[in-house]
Amino acid sequence: MAKQLRAATARYEGRTAAFVLTFGQDPEPGAGQAYASRINASLRKARPHMFTDTTTRDFWNGGAPGTADLEIYFYTR
């Protein structure tokens, strides 16, 4: 998962995320939210400098299991 997240966030290298809203997809709300939580934990492993002090929130969105939508909000300079 960390490798996929590194690839997906490569274009934002050098920026710092303020907060991330992650919508884990699954037919079941609990499973989708748990998947979102795993993704948010992996963000810090994938890009420690980008997500070190980032606030994250885990949400559910009905859909195919094992996929997610992320809304990443960066600090502006």
Side-chain angles (χ1 to χ4, degrees):
M1 184 179 301
K3 184 178 179 180
Q4 291 172 313
L5 290 169
R6 271 192 297 281
T9 57
R11 63 183 167 177
Y12 305 114
E13 182 69 36
R15 298 185 73 184
T16 303
F19 63 94
V20 178
L21 307 178
T22 303
F23 298 84
Q25 296 186 9
D26 195 275
E28 297 297 322
Q33 199 168 10
Y35 186 65
S37 177
R38 288 194 305 275
I39 289 173
N40 285 331
S42 292
L43 285 171
R44 289 179 177 90
K45 295 175 186 170
R47 296 224 178 254
H49 291 85
M50 188 179 290
F51 297 103
T52 299
D53 295 321
T54 304
T55 298
T56 60
R57 294 291 181 262
D58 313 324
F59 295 100
W60 165 73
N61 190 21
T67 59
D69 296 311
L70 283 76
E71 294 181 12
I72 303 172
Y73 296 87
F74 294 98
Y75 288 104
T76 57
R77 297 177 189 177

